[in-house]
Structure formats: structure tokens, C-alpha cells
Amino acid sequence: MSELAVELRDVVKTFQTPEGTPVNAVDRVNLQIQNGEFFSMLGSSGCGKTTSLRMIAGFEWPTSGEVFIAGQPQGHKPPFQRPVNTVFQNYALFQHMTVFDNVAFGLQMAKRPGDEIIRRVGEALEMVKLGSMEKRYPRQLSGGQQQRVALARALVNRPQVLLLDEPLGALDQKLRKEMQVELKLLQKEVGITFIFVTHDQEEALSMSDRIAVMSLGKVLQIGSPVEIYERPNCRFVADFIGETNFLEGQVRAVDGEKVIVFVPALEAEIAGVGYQSFHNGQQVSLSVRPEKIHLAEQPPDGQKSFPVRVTQVSYIGSDTRVLVQAGKTTLKVAEQNKISTLDPDAYFQNGEQAFASLTPENTLVLPVDEVP
Amino acid sequence: MLQQLRENKSLQGALLILPTMVFMVGLLIIPLALTLVASFGQRSPDGGVIFTFSLDNYIRLLGFQPGCLQPSCFDSLYLQILWRSLTLAFQTTVLVILLAYPLSYFIARAPRKRRTTFLFLVLVPLWTNFVIRVYAWMMILRTQGVLNGFLGWLAGLLGIPFAPLEMLYTPGAVLVGMVYEFLPFMILPIYTSLEKIDPSLYEAAADLGANSFRTFLRVTLPLSLPGMVAGTILVFIPVMGMFVVSDLLGGRQVILVGNLIQRQFLDARDPTFGSAASLILMVMTLLVTYFYTRKFGFGEEIVAA
Ligand SMILES: Nc1ncnc2c1ncn2[C@@H]1O[C@H](COP(=O)(O)OP(=O)(O)OP(=O)(O)O)[C@@H](O)[C@H]1O
Ligand SMILES: [Mg+2]
């Protein structure tokens, strides 16, 4: 048996648009998704997440390239012959059928015997905590309950892969958080590969084993949540995942992973780490996360720092967000409130002078993206 | 006065429904009551109504003679007419569903821009007067008509001997006419119900392992049932009372309740018997509709759409 649950090889999907110019909704995408993995596809609206998922499900066929499920090329196989099931964003429940019949649908199509259907539907509804509602119609359920029916209806078939297209998009914030936890637990329990589409980075970070960050039909980076956040491979990913400060500059010296960059806005040379190859004179961006900038009232000893002026302070409970003017640029800094105090002097004030220091390990050197 | 009107909600309500009330009472309730009264009356020699209370008209409708309820007096003529109307309405409805469904399905799944055009084409015949369209069918079905002309030409081409078919003034001709007249009234509601089905339901069914045929049986068909129900009500009831189509395309061969009633009022000049037949028709239609809607509802979703 193949290790890979799903593989996309050089998949391109071109749509003919009414405006006349064809668009590549998915552009040479390569993905390798392991068995049992919780894999997320993350990207802003229109980046091709849904289209990729629909090609795995069989609702669309690639213009070129190939989709493999469990090692088998799928070609133009229709959806009903693929060992995957989908949870649709709008749930797509059958309004004219009871919860039981909705969940039983897939098993009936597979011509399972009646007693097995009753048993498995019961188990599936139990699993999503809807055991008592099998006689209801979808319109008699809340949004969250409908969501669970959609989940049960897909999972009851024990697919090799479950595809979820923004399944929590229609739920309110609180329910969404609850379902995130439940979905993750459920995935562990059933051990089925989940491919989860979302445009909510927090959701992706908290749930996934690995994430593919997409933009304009292309996969920019694939990695674990930590890798994606701590080691983004390009400006777009650094910007899209979490918050960051960019400093534009020019490479002055390269020593292995250590890169010295001259930043005109600060009129200073800053040391950072680069995990790609750089050469002298190259235009680069430095990315520093707000929580990784150190702000102090006195210049710290033995560390390079530069003077800044505090321009805005907002206290948000766990953190204090501070905007500082540094040279010709503004930096976002997040100060964790580790000590409980009411003393205003313990917090930075507007207009205050301070010193910011960056450590080279926390300063990521990234190539300037070719595409804007 | 005006102040009083502003404050009195029930007075406002009464005023609002007044025009409709006048209309309904004047043109529906009173005529209906008159019909009921007349159906128990007797025909006067000059074709008027003598108001009595006699069941003669109903006895005649059931096939007996007034004053003779023996089997020897029984004549099933009127019962046959009633039965024929019922079966014809039933046949028409079934045929119309069979013809309208695929077409509605086709239109509902056509690209959005085309749908308007197709619906427009479905409605175009309704611009021509209904009687004129029936006359057109006479032209087509006559012994020397368009269809026979075409068949003769075809037979001549193939060298087969051909005798013109007698198509006009047959039950088949009436059925064709009815189906033709009422097709749009079935297409529209079925189309509406099909068009409302969320396409993602088809995808969900396919995703769960249903091929197109089973998707149709389990998803499309049940979800379009309200359209068929609404269409059936729109077709069955008028066909039951229709007399123009059977008059023109059926001649003396195909007499329906509608024709019977019309002839009693206009030719036989027996309004009392005509009234009794009208009431029987009404009761029959109401009964069928009642049992039908009790089982399937009115297709409210469609009517409300
Ligand atoms: N059937 C289609 N015809 C033409 N263009 C399409 C079609 N489907 C999608 N597209 C285009 O392909 C691109 C990707 O669409 P897709 O639905 O995959 O985005 P997405 O990442 O799922 O976005 P969202 O987060 O908004 O759901 C978009 O630019 C969209 O306009
Ligand atoms: Mg989408």
C-alpha cells in the first residue's frame, strides 16, 4: 500500500472566463499528502483552494497533470467512483430526507445490507453526538447540528480521504472554536486523512499537521504550523501568516546562513538568518515578528540596538501592542504583559524614547518576491 | 369620521376586502346558489326554470327515468360522459407530466442566459387566442389537413399506397388538443421546482456514490414533486370542465361533461338539468382534488415561489 493518501502532480486547472482571458485557477500544484494526516490548504479568497479540492473529489478534472488517490491515477473518474467523501461548505444536506436517511444515503448507494446500515448510521450519529435526532429533517436542526450531519454523512462511508471545504465557515465564532477541537479529536479517533480548506490562518495553525499556503493558484510553501510561522520561505507567506515587520535592504555580506543586510530606512546594518542562497548586493526583505523585537528604555549592554520613538500604545490584555518610529519606518512590537501591575510606568507611553534590538536568529532574510 | 377609520382596524379590514366581497358574492356565491336551486327545479316549456324541489335531474344524471328506478329504465349515457371526462382529465395530466418533465429538466439545466429564451418560447403560444390554436389543430388533423397531406406526400415518395387517416373527431384528437393546450401550465411549475434545487445536492449525491440515474430517483425527482403537484392541479381541474377543445376536435364523437352542460343551457334549453350536471362536475372535481391534495399537498413551495 502506498504511503501517500493523495498526490497532485503538476496539476493545472484552466477556466475559460466570460471576459475571454482564460485563468489558471490552479497552477502547477504539487502536493503529497500522507495517510492519516490532517492537511490544510490555506490561502486568501480566489487562490484555488476549492478548485484543488474539487479536482480531488472528481467534480472537476485537471486541464493537465494528474491526481492520485492511494497511488491510483484518477484520470476522468466520476466522483461516485472515488474513495473520498466531501463535507460541503453549505453542507448540501438533502432537505427532503431525515437525518437518518441523509447519513444512510452513501451506504444505500453502496448496497450495504439493511441491518448494517442501521448499525453504522447509529454509530456515526453517536460519534457526532446527534444520536437522538435521526428522525428530524435538516431544516429542524441548528447550523451546528446540520454541520455534524454533513460530517456524519461523509464519515459513515469510511472514505480513505475526507475533503472539507471551509466546513466551519458558516458557524459563529464560539461554535467554530468548539467544532475545531471536536473535528481534530474526531480525526485522531477515526484515523482518516483530512484535507481541510480554510482561509482562516488561526484555524489552520491550530488544527493541522501540515499546511499548504496558496496564492494565485500556486502552492508557496508546505510545512508544519511551526515551520510555516517561524520559517516562511517568502514574503507572501511571512505576511499572510500572523503579523510581521518588513525591512527592505541590500545584502552586504553572506556567511553561511548568516546574512548582513544594509537597511536604508534605519541607516544601519542588520544581521539576520537566511535559509536560501543569497549573494552580495541582492535586494532582500527582512521579516521580524512583533513579539520578537525587544524594546527597552535603556540601550541593552552587549547588543546592537537603535533608538526609537513610541507613537502608539494599545493594551489588549495578554499583550501590549506598541507602534514605534524607527528611522524612516514604523515597527509593530508586541510586549507580553508578564507581570501584573497597575503602575503606568511599567508600560510604554506615547512619545517615549526607547531602544529596539533585533537578534539575528529572529530576523529572517527573504528574497523579494518577483510577483507583487 | 376619518379619525374613527384610522383607529378602527377591523373597519379598515372590512373596507379593504369589500370590493372583493362584492365581486365574489355577486359573481360566484349568488350564481352558485342559483345553480343549486335551479338543479332542483323543473324545466318550463319555454326553457325557463320552475322552482320546485325535485330530484328528477339527478335521477336522470344517474341514468334512470324520473319515476322509474328499475334496471330496465337504466341508461348509462350520462355516467359514461362523466367517466370519460374523468379518464380524459387523468390521461391528459399524465401525458402532460411525461412531456413537460424532460423539457423542464432540460431548461432548468441549460445555461442561465438560455433559460429565459426557452421559457419565453414555452409561453409564446399563449399569445394566440386559445380557440384559434384549437382551430389550428383542426387544420392539422382534418382528413384533407396538413398532417394527412404530409403523410400522403411521404407515402408517394416511398411508393406506398396511402388512404388519408381519420384523425379529427376522435378521442385521440381531443387528447392531443388538451395536452397541447395545457402543456405550459405543467412546464412552468416543474421548471420552477427543478431550478430551485441547489446544484451542490447533485454533487453531494455523486460524492456519496450515486450515479446520475440514482441521483435522479433519490434527489431530483422527490425535490421536484411540489412542481408536479402544483402543475397537476393547474391542469386537471380545467381539463375536467373544458368543452371548447372537445367540441371542435371531438365533434359529436367525444362529449364531455363540459359539452353536456353547454348543450343543456344553449341547445336543449334545459337549465335545470345543466345546473345539476354543473354541480356534479364541481363535486367530482372537488373530491378528486381533495383526496389528491390530502396526499400530496398543494405544492405550496411552488405556488409561493
Ligand atoms: N467555474 C469557473 N469558471 C471560471 N472561473 C472559475 C470557476 N471556478 C473558479 N474560478 C476562478 O478560479 C479561481 C479560484 O477559485 P476557487 O473557488 O478555487 O477559490 P478559493 O480559493 O476556493 O476561494 P474562496 O476562499 O473564496 O472560496 C478564482 O479566481 C475563480 O474566479
Ligand atoms: Mg472556496
Side-chain angles (χ1 to χ4, degrees):
Chain A
M1 196 178 126
S2 155
E3 262 296 286
L4 293 181
V6 172
E7 185 180 3
L8 270 65
R9 262 189 227 160
D10 281 325
V11 169
V12 177
K13 179 69 191 182
T14 312
F15 283 118
Q16 214 55 52
T17 57
E19 302 89 60
T21 44
V23 291
N24 285 355
V26 172
D27 200 358
R28 271 165 291 144
V29 163
N30 285 286
L31 287 179
Q32 300 194 327
I33 299 165
Q34 312 289 329
N35 264 316
E37 196 171 21
F38 196 120
F39 189 90
S40 290
M41 303 207 310
L42 176 64
S44 49
S45 185
C47 69
K49 306 178 297 281
T50 297
T51 309
S52 307
L53 209 64
R54 289 171 60 81
M55 283 191 284
I56 301 172
F59 301 131
E60 311 272 5
W61 295 322
T63 311
S64 69
E66 186 66 275
V67 174
F68 296 82
I69 299 175
Q72 301 300 311
Q74 296 299 300
H76 284 194
K77 248 193 220 174
F80 55 87
Q81 285 170 3
R82 299 190 182 203
V84 301
N85 283 118
T86 307
V87 177
F88 293 82
Q89 172 158 19
N90 65 353
Y91 315 145
L93 296 178
F94 303 122
Q95 297 298 327
H96 60 295
M97 295 184 199
T98 59
V99 167
F100 181 93
D101 287 333
N102 265 283
V103 179
F105 192 90
L107 297 174
Q108 287 166 353
M109 291 305 124
K111 305 218 166 68
R112 308 307 308 169
D115 46 346
E116 181 188 330
I117 293 181
I118 293 176
R119 181 174 53 75
R120 279 173 64 177
V121 171
E123 286 168 7
L125 286 175
E126 223 38 74
M127 194 165 64
V128 297
K129 308 194 185 98
L130 281 179
S132 57
M133 304 205 174
E134 54 177 38
K135 288 204 184 61
R136 294 212 198 171
Y137 284 89
R139 62 173 176 278
Q140 298 167 322
L141 298 175
S142 73
Q145 290 164 339
Q146 292 186 24
Q147 158 68 51
R148 287 155 201 263
V149 176
L151 207 56
R153 183 177 72 174
L155 279 177
V156 76
N157 307 296
R158 299 189 191 136
Q160 292 180 14
V161 181
L162 188 70
L163 309 173
L164 304 104
D165 191 358
E166 306 203 19
L168 309 180
L171 305 180
D172 66 50
Q173 195 59 30
K174 184 163 174 295
L175 199 56
R176 199 180 165 119
K177 287 268 179 310
E178 279 173 31
M179 284 303 291
Q180 286 175 5
V181 176
E182 266 182 49
L183 211 55
K184 180 75 197 169
L185 286 175
L186 199 66
Q187 193 261 342
K188 284 264 172 313
E189 189 182 319
V190 294
I192 291 173
T193 310
F194 276 33
I195 304 182
F196 186 91
V197 161
T198 179
H199 61 250
D200 181 336
Q201 42 155 313
E202 208 177 303
E203 192 165 279
L205 289 175
S206 68
M207 297 172 79
S208 321
D209 295 323
R210 284 195 308 151
I211 301 172
V213 183
M214 293 184 71
S215 171
L216 299 172
K218 292 193 167 65
V219 172
L220 299 179
Q221 186 172 9
I222 302 176
S224 68
V226 175
E227 283 167 348
I228 296 277
Y229 186 79
E230 301 293 349
R231 299 284 181 269
N233 66 358
C234 62
R235 247 190 91 117
F236 181 90
V237 176
D239 195 24
F240 188 71
I241 309 289
E243 267 189 281
T244 197
N245 295 292
F246 286 119
L247 295 167
E248 311 304 330
Q250 211 176 25
V251 176
R252 279 287 157 85
V254 183
D255 174 15
E257 288 184 343
K258 244 184 103 178
V259 183
I260 307 292
V261 178
F262 177 73
V263 179
L266 297 178
E267 285 172 13
E269 284 188 349
I270 308 269
V273 280
Y275 298 96
Q276 292 150 64
S277 65
F278 296 97
H279 55 82
N280 276 351
Q282 188 181 348
Q283 280 296 325
V284 292
S285 297
L286 295 173
S287 160
V288 196
R289 300 284 184 194
E291 73 276 11
K292 287 173 180 137
I293 297 179
H294 186 68
L295 216 52
E297 289 177 355
Q298 301 301 324
D301 306 329
Q303 210 175 1
K304 243 179 103 178
S305 67
F306 44 93
V308 296
R309 195 168 53 84
V310 176
T311 57
Q312 196 187 317
V313 182
S314 39
Y315 172 84
I316 58 161
S318 58
D319 292 349
T320 303
R321 322 284 308 200
V322 184
L323 282 188
V324 298
Q325 185 70 36
K328 294 193 203 75
T329 186
T330 306
L331 297 177
K332 291 172 278 190
V333 183
E335 288 280 299
Q336 253 196 11
N337 298 325
K338 285 253 170 149
I339 298 164
S340 174
T341 171
L342 296 177
D343 179 8
D345 288 345
Y347 304 97
F348 285 98
Q349 305 291 329
N350 257 353
E352 203 176 322
Q353 291 294 330
F355 293 88
S357 48
L358 311 173
T359 51
E361 314 86 81
N362 291 337
T363 308
L364 201 61
V365 186
L366 295 171
V368 175
D369 296 338
E370 297 95 70
V371 276
Chain B
M1 174 68 196
L2 259 178
Q3 184 63 31
Q4 200 184 347
L5 181 61
R6 254 186 225 120
E7 283 165 12
N8 191 335
K9 289 267 183 256
S10 62
L11 189 65
Q12 286 173 12
L15 272 177
L16 282 173
I17 61 163
L18 190 66
T20 319
M21 280 298 277
V22 170
F23 194 83
M24 292 297 271
V25 170
L27 295 175
L28 187 74
I29 310 282
I30 294 178
L32 207 58
L34 283 177
T35 311
L36 185 69
V37 172
S39 74
F40 292 110
Q42 277 174 330
R43 176 182 189 271
S44 71
D46 61 350
V49 181
I50 304 168
F51 292 100
T52 56
F53 183 81
S54 107
L55 291 174
D56 289 2
N57 291 316
Y58 292 97
I59 291 170
R60 278 174 63 205
L61 267 173
L62 291 177
F64 297 97
Q65 301 296 323
C68 167
L69 296 178
Q70 308 302 316
S72 58
C73 301
F74 181 73
D75 176 1
S76 64
L77 176 67
Y78 296 131
L79 288 181
Q80 276 175 23
I81 292 176
L82 284 173
W83 179 246
R84 187 182 299 135
S85 304
L86 203 63
T87 47
L88 187 87
F90 182 75
Q91 289 167 343
T92 305
T93 310
V94 171
L95 271 179
V96 165
I97 291 178
L98 290 180
L99 287 175
Y101 202 102
L103 189 64
S104 313
Y105 189 81
F106 170 79
I107 300 176
R109 303 208 88 175
R112 195 166 285 279
K113 266 192 280 178
R114 299 261 181 78
R115 290 184 212 162
T116 333
T117 318
F118 289 138
L119 285 179
F120 177 75
L121 290 177
V122 167
L123 293 177
V124 161
L126 299 183
W127 293 2
T128 313
N129 181 280
F130 152 70
V131 180
I132 292 175
R133 278 178 288 145
V134 183
Y135 271 108
W137 273 106
M138 291 177 73
M139 298 300 186
I140 296 171
L141 297 175
R142 269 187 336 195
T143 316
Q144 266 84 43
V146 178
L147 193 52
N148 270 322
F150 172 74
L151 290 175
W153 172 80
L154 206 64
L157 221 57
L158 300 170
I160 309 168
F162 177 76
L165 303 172
E166 297 293 334
M167 287 177 290
L168 195 54
Y169 308 130
T170 60
V174 178
L175 189 60
V176 167
M178 295 279 200
V179 168
Y180 171 78
E181 288 299 337
F182 287 98
L183 200 54
F185 298 97
M186 188 63 85
I187 293 175
L188 292 181
I190 294 185
Y191 162 79
T192 310
S193 65
L194 285 173
E195 198 257 350
K196 282 204 308 191
I197 300 178
D198 178 358
S200 67
L201 293 186
Y202 300 129
E203 291 190 344
D207 187 68
L208 293 165
N211 57 27
S212 341
F213 179 64
R214 302 184 80 185
T215 302
F216 178 79
L217 281 190
R218 292 289 307 272
V219 179
T220 318
L221 199 58
L223 285 174
S224 60
L225 197 63
M228 276 192 275
V229 171
T232 299
I233 293 171
L234 288 180
V235 171
F236 186 85
I237 296 177
V239 171
M240 276 296 281
M242 173 62 67
F243 62 91
V244 180
V245 175
S246 45
D247 204 38
L248 295 179
L249 300 179
R252 304 208 164 274
Q253 308 300 313
V254 189
I255 297 181
L256 303 178
V257 208
N259 305 97
L260 178 70
I261 296 168
Q262 180 218 15
R263 282 172 201 191
Q264 292 308 313
F265 278 102
L266 300 181
D267 303 343
R269 291 170 55 81
D270 187 348
T272 62
F273 189 64
S275 297
S278 303
L279 283 169
I280 291 286
L281 168 64
M282 221 178 77
V283 169
M284 235 165 59
T285 313
L286 277 178
L287 276 179
V288 173
T289 318
Y290 173 74
F291 285 111
Y292 181 76
T293 51
R294 262 226 329 207
K295 181 141 175 58
F296 296 107
F298 282 97
E300 293 92 337
E301 296 107 275
I302 293 307
V303 177

